[in-house]
Structures are given as structure tokens and as C-alpha cells.
Amino acid sequence: MRITRQVEVEQSPAEVWALFGDIPQVAACLPGTRLTGQESETRYTGEVVISAGPVRMEFDGTADILSRDDTARTMQVEASGADRRGRGQASLLLDAAVAPAARGSIVDVALDLTLSGAAAQYGRGMVADITAVLLDQFARNLQSRLTAIDQGLDPDDVDATAPASGLSFALRATRLALLRVFRRFFLPYRPQPTGR
């Protein structure tokens, strides 16, 4: 499943790319993600916990930086993990690119996500909705951390990343699911204007 997002932030591409050089800072922007170790310059261990209503997924795994181009400001990260209860596995390939915008920067993010085993039972639509909420929160956290750095503050002190769980998280994912169902079942039946 491929999911893409464009994130617009106020800071310059150079400032944004500097943050992307600090992998723990980037990971801290994604709700439910926690790095637990660093095995090499390009390999990290961590955990991802996502809880939305009846859906709860807990993965332990690794993330590898496959490529990083400081001139083009692009990077590719591959991550994989296994559910703690042995119910499935997840893997993703993330591509990120930072480019100038009229005001600040645009961060293009593309995720190729694969779930297997019981983790795949939730269905493509629900997983896409949860991932969309995660990426929206990532955008807010990224802007918050960049602003803190601009102000000379420690971003870890001013931006405690909320977990990928709770009522508001579940409500946002449910809202996206309802919109998806509405578009699928009701929009095709709209009366078409008749020409005279």
C-alpha cells in the first residue's frame, strides 16, 4: 500500500534537512514511535505502538537508512518489525524529499507499507486511515520541533509527542473512514445536472 503526503513547514530547506540528519528527532515526530538503540551509523532499533479503538498493534524492529543525498535533500529508509504477540509483521519503505516552497519548505513523504499475518486483517482502508492520521500528526510535530529549534529551545522539552492512541486519535481515524465510505457509496449517486 502506497501512501503519500506533502508537508509544508515555515523553515528553510537547509533548516529542515538539518533536522532530518538527526534521526532520533525525526522519529520523535511520529506518534507511537520510540527508538531503543543504534546499531550503526545507519541502523536503528525501535518500537511502534498504535492503538485506535479495537485496533492495537505493537511492533519491535529495525530501521535502516538506505540512502541519503545531502545535495538533493532526499533520503530513503527501510523499516521492518514483528508484532510482539507474534500475530504478524510489518515493513515499510519511506522516501522523503525536502524542497523550497513559496514560504519555507515542502517535505514530500511517500510510504510503501506491507502488513502480513493477523496485522493485515484490519484491511487496506483502515490501515490507510490510521496512517493518514499519523502523517498529519507527524507534520504538526515536525513544525513544532523546527520552531523550538529556531527559538533556541530544546525540542524534547516543548514537544512531548503524543502516543498513537487515545480517543482523539481514534476519532480522527474514524472520521477518515466515514469520509471514505461516504465517497464510495454516496457520491456516485449524486444527481447529474441536465443540459438544456
Side-chain angles (χ1 to χ4, degrees):
M1 171 187 334
R2 187 170 177 83
I3 301 165
T4 60
R5 266 291 182 279
Q6 269 199 343
V7 176
E8 191 163 353
V9 293
E10 299 170 2
Q11 284 71 21
S12 70
E15 291 173 283
V16 177
W17 190 245
L19 181 89
F20 271 78
D22 186 340
I23 298 303
Q25 286 286 339
V26 176
C29 292
L30 190 61
T33 301
R34 187 175 75 88
L35 293 184
T36 56
Q38 183 173 357
E39 296 181 351
S40 72
E41 193 174 309
T42 59
R43 185 176 180 86
Y44 297 84
T45 58
E47 63 182 18
V48 177
V49 178
I50 299 168
S51 179
V55 178
R56 183 170 177 85
M57 296 179 277
E58 301 177 351
F59 293 96
D60 291 315
T62 58
D64 294 282
I65 301 172
L66 300 182
S67 65
R68 179 182 171 91
D69 185 330
D70 290 326
T71 303
R73 296 190 179 107
T74 61
M75 70 186 307
Q76 187 175 66
V77 178
E78 182 178 53
S80 61
D83 182 81
R84 290 176 181 166
R85 301 176 200 168
R87 298 180 306 155
Q89 296 186 334
S91 63
L92 72 83
L93 188 65
L94 178 144
D95 290 287
V98 179
R103 289 183 53 218
S105 306
I106 293 285
V107 181
D108 280 304
V109 179
L111 290 173
D112 277 316
L113 178 65
T114 304
L115 295 173
S116 61
Q121 75 182 346
Y122 298 114
R124 181 182 177 92
M126 178 180 281
V127 172
D129 295 335
I130 290 172
T131 305
V133 172
L134 287 173
L135 288 176
D136 288 343
Q137 187 63 50
F138 172 83
R140 286 192 286 276
N141 292 340
L142 179 64
Q143 180 63 75
S144 177
R145 283 183 175 260
L146 286 165
T147 300
I149 291 168
D150 276 354
Q151 295 171 353
L153 303 173
D154 182 346
D156 290 324
D157 292 339
V158 299
D159 180 32
T161 303
S165 63
L167 181 60
S168 65
F169 182 85
L171 287 175
R172 283 182 284 162
T174 301
R175 179 180 168 272
L176 289 176
L178 291 173
L179 287 172
R180 181 171 36 83
V181 169
F182 179 80
R183 283 193 297 266
R184 181 184 300 161
F185 291 106
F186 295 105
L187 290 184
Y189 302 107
R190 285 185 307 180
Q192 300 298 319
T194 56
R196 292 188 183 247

